[in-house]
Amino acid sequence: MPNSNDSRATSELLKAFSHPTRLAILQELVSGPKCVTDMEDLLPARQANISQHLSVLRHTELVDYAQEGTQRCYYLSRQDLVIDMLALLQRNDPVVTRSPADIRAEKERLALA
């Protein structure tokens, strides 16, 4: 069972994935590093807004940047995690509904195990 610090870090990580602009940034970075000006051309957001979202993504160590002069180019720093998470989010799993009788039966089965 995760401790409260692990739960808090996991919660922050999931929050980083929970905004449409941040998801779009991550999807763009899967194909390779992008500078903020590149992202401004690709996303329906202004530079200041993109920078705020990049700050959240940096805080969770999903992205990082290399700076040359005044230009920052961002890249995925946890590429496998981002790719896996984006793949999970794109799955179209069916919604499962259960009746009270189904739930009782499952609880009984688990109690016997």
Side-chain angles (χ1 to χ4, degrees), residues 2-3 5 18 29-30 32 39 45 48 51 65 68 74-76 78 89 91 96:
N3 66 36
N5 288 338
S18 71
L29 292 176
V30 165
M39 287 187 254
S51 292
Y65 67 89
E68 189 170 337
Y74 287 82
Y75 60 91
L76 295 177
R78 297 169 80 180
L89 294 171
R91 284 178 24 179
V96 176

Side-chain angles (χ1 to χ4, degrees), residues 23-59:
L23 278 175
I25 290 169
L26 293 170
Q27 288 168 332
E28 289 297 335
L29 292 176
V30 165
S31 64
K34 305 268 185 313
C35 296
V36 176
T37 54
D38 299 328
M39 287 187 254
E40 192 174 15
D41 293 338
L42 297 167
L43 302 172
R46 295 196 167 178
Q47 186 268 334
N49 187 255
I50 292 169
S51 292
Q52 288 176 333
H53 288 295
L54 285 165
S55 177
V56 171
L57 295 171
R58 282 188 61 233
H59 175 73

Side-chain angles (χ1 to χ4, degrees), residues 13 17 22-23 25-27 29-30 57 61-63 76-89:
L13 185 62
F17 281 96
R22 289 194 291 272
L23 278 175
I25 290 169
L26 293 170
Q27 288 168 332
L29 292 176
V30 165
L57 295 171
E61 298 179 327
L62 291 172
V63 305
L76 295 177
S77 53
R78 297 169 80 180
Q79 184 169 346
D80 291 343
L81 173 64
V82 171
I83 289 170
D84 290 347
M85 187 64 150
L86 291 174
L88 281 172
L89 294 171

